[in-house]
Amino acid sequence: MLGTTSGPRIGITGLGTHVPERVLTNAELSQIVDTTDEWIVERTGIRERRIAADDEALTDIARPAVERALADAGVAAAEIDLLICATVTPDMMFPTSSALLADTLGMPKAAAYDLLAGCTGFVYAIAQAYGMLASGLSKCALVVGGDVLSKILDWDDRSTLVLFGDGAGAVVMKRVERGGFLGFELGADGGGGENLWLPGSGSRRFENPQAHVKMNGREVFKFATRIMVYSAQQILSECGKKVDDVDVYIPHQANKRIIDYATAKLGIPHEKTVVNVDRYGNTSSGSIPLALDDARAENRLQDGSLVLMTGMGAGLTWGSALLEWTGALGGTTRAG
Ligand code: UT7
């Protein structure tokens, strides 16, 4: 799917994020599996990640992010009429995490559902919220992107264990006077799905029912480097923008090498690229909102800044959003 937006302007009016308190360093991981800090830093750029506590599930880390986003937007929970939660690690399949969040946060008039699109979930979800808002069906939407991948990793598998971390972000989306989303590009390739999968997590029977993330890292790497560039080029050209017009580039935080490849190939300078994979690892659906929040904390999001976000992940899926930032967001501080 590729298109520019038309009709009313829809933008992000509030942003909040949250990460669990527990920091897990590469040195600690090297006590668990046969790996080293050197290997992890050289191959991925990751130095540490946040890991949820035993009794923490997705909604526990999403709730503070949502509260911050609402406060940032100056919107009461009861005003939210649409809540989409992008995640591959809901508390459970049902009730959905979005329904649980809507209940605990007090959003009685919200339509609420979870959305599953791997690490691209957040980009898919903002595109959906855009559509609902632009059509007038929704007046005030909340999009959550978050994952607790630590709960579905094989803690004996060094090839996946070192890559992921836990975290969540949330945005309030509404009609805005200026700025807003310019377009979206979204895609999926189920044929490549076997390169990043969670066997035993659904209705298909597998011999080993334990659901752990399995990945063919080299294949996902090849896909990622190709698609990050393709998707960004597609959306820029569709919206009539050049690479030089981009003020802030927010790539999915999977691996510093993938980000470096994409920035070099696209010709986006490092100063315009947001990187926090060193501190959080790959937080899946949480990755883009966490990076967006870091960009804001560093004062990189100004009124009118052109923001390019590109995600990719399990499915295989990918997606880009081009957004003209609407200024004057309060800027609450991330805790944890
Ligand atoms: O949201 C999307 C999520 N997934 C991704 O983005 C992953 C994309 N892929 C990657 O980022 C990279 O492929 C990895 C970081 C996963 C791996 O890096 P690589 O440079 O592609 O390494 P490799 O898979 O080719 O493995 C090289 C070696 C292997 O040993 P041999 O066969 O050469 O003896 C691995 O067994 O590194 C070994 N290895 C490790 N060594 C130390 C794999 N994981 C580790 C580890 N520590 N944690």
Side-chain angles (χ1 to χ4, degrees), residues 110-248:
Y113 61 94
D114 292 358
L115 183 152
L116 205 75
C119 301
T120 321
F122 181 76
V123 181
Y124 265 68
I126 54 177
Q128 286 214 343
Y130 167 83
M132 298 272 217
L133 287 157
S135 69
L137 276 175
S138 166
K139 306 278 181 291
C140 188
L142 183 80
V143 171
V144 178
D147 270 305
V148 198
L149 277 217
S150 64
K151 307 277 181 181
I152 57 166
L153 292 175
D154 177 352
W155 281 68
D156 292 324
D157 177 8
R158 66 178 182 177
S159 69
T160 48
L161 182 62
V162 304
L163 302 177
F164 298 99
D166 303 333
V171 292
V172 173
M173 286 174 56
K174 284 176 81 164
R175 290 193 179 194
V176 288
E177 300 274 304
R178 56 185 195 284
F181 286 96
L182 304 184
F184 297 93
E185 195 272 332
L186 303 172
D189 168 23
E194 62 189 13
N195 292 315
L196 182 49
W197 59 318
L198 192 59
S201 57
S203 58
R204 184 152 316 277
R205 283 198 195 281
F206 285 82
E207 270 177 31
N208 175 3
Q210 258 206 337
H212 285 145
V213 174
K214 305 240 183 286
M215 187 178 70
N216 181 341
R218 284 180 207 183
E219 284 306 314
V220 178
F221 192 93
K222 277 192 247 166
F223 159 75
T225 45
R226 177 175 59 79
I227 214 70
M228 294 293 290
V229 176
Y230 166 84
S231 182
Q233 286 172 339
Q234 289 280 106
I235 191 66
L236 286 171
S237 130
E238 186 73 10
C239 294
K241 299 285 182 188
K242 298 193 189 58
V243 164
D244 287 350
D245 297 329
V246 174
D247 297 303
V248 184

Side-chain angles (χ1 to χ4, degrees), residues 34-36 39-40 43-44 119 158-159 162-164 196 215 217-218 220-221 224 252 254-255 257-258 282 312-314:
D34 181 15
T35 192
T36 59
W39 191 96
I40 303 171
R43 303 287 177 125
T44 71
C119 301
R158 66 178 182 177
S159 69
V162 304
L163 302 177
F164 298 99
L196 182 49
M215 187 178 70
R218 284 180 207 183
V220 178
F221 192 93
H252 172 45
N255 181 327
R257 279 159 62 210
I258 296 173
N282 181 348
M312 59 83 196

Side-chain angles (χ1 to χ4, degrees), residues 254-332:
N255 181 327
K256 178 75 166 46
R257 279 159 62 210
I258 296 173
I259 297 173
D260 287 346
Y261 178 91
T263 49
K265 199 84 181 162
L266 287 166
I268 298 183
H270 286 293
E271 313 84 74
K272 291 185 174 181
T273 308
V274 182
V275 179
N276 64 13
V277 68
D278 51 326
R279 286 177 288 135
Y280 300 121
N282 181 348
T283 55
S284 186
S285 306
S287 155
I288 288 185
L290 280 168
L292 201 57
D293 208 8
D294 276 359
R296 176 175 66 176
E298 292 160 12
N299 262 331
R300 295 164 76 173
L301 296 175
Q302 305 298 333
D303 199 24
S305 295
L306 189 67
V307 182
L308 168 64
M309 311 174 216
T310 301
M312 59 83 196
L316 298 169
T317 55
W318 66 90
S320 288
L322 200 59
L323 167 70
E324 226 174 77
W325 191 255
T326 313
L329 293 192
T332 49

